[in-house]
Amino acid sequence: QVQFVESGGGLVQAGGSLRLSCAVSGSLFSFYVIGWYRQTPGKQRELVAHISRSVTNYADSVKGRFTISRDNAKKTVYLQMNSLKPEDTAVYYCNFVTGLGSWGQGTQVTVSS
């Protein structure tokens, strides 16, 4: 079973930056389409970005501020988050873009105003 382990969250002031990492198990990593999701209490999990082997897509709410990338040798997907806003505060998760993988613990991102 493919597992996802998120890290890199923290507390940052509005306008600041963070880089999240998602370590993925599985021998077919380079073929996986991976997404970054976020969730706040009482709301559905939201897909904010995903990456195939070479194509990236972003939710309108993060377009121009977040960048998703991958390192196939390290089996890791990154989410560079710039110009952070308080509304970006959430627990961030990674998973297959379908959301059908096993969910990890996530990493908390808190943006103070």
Side-chain angles (χ1 to χ4, degrees):
Q1 186 178 11
V2 176
Q3 294 188 332
F4 302 87
V5 179
E6 304 90 351
S7 63
L11 173 63
V12 64
Q13 288 189 330
S17 298
L18 283 173
R19 188 176 83 153
L20 306 184
S21 297
C22 169
V24 184
S25 67
S27 58
L28 300 177
F29 174 82
S30 62
F31 296 97
Y32 299 154
V33 182
I34 303 293
W36 276 102
Y37 299 77
R38 65 186 181 188
Q39 189 171 27
T40 54
K43 292 188 177 180
Q44 280 195 325
R45 202 166 279 163
E46 173 192 16
L47 177 65
V48 297
H50 68 273
I51 184 168
S52 65
R53 298 184 79 172
S54 60
V55 177
T56 59
N57 283 280
Y58 300 91
D60 288 343
S61 57
V62 306
K63 200 171 293 183
R65 299 187 299 120
F66 290 11
T67 302
I68 189 170
S69 61
R70 66 193 297 159
D71 184 331
N72 289 335
K74 295 183 178 180
K75 295 185 180 180
T76 301
V77 176
Y78 303 98
L79 187 67
Q80 178 66 44
M81 306 186 297
N82 298 329
S83 302
L84 283 162
K85 304 175 181 180
E87 50 263 46
D88 295 318
T89 295
V91 180
Y92 284 73
Y93 302 87
C94 56
N95 203 310
F96 296 121
V97 69
T98 58
L100 296 178
S102 174
W103 292 96
Q105 294 296 312
T107 187
Q108 175 72 48
V109 171
T110 303
V111 184
S112 63
S113 56

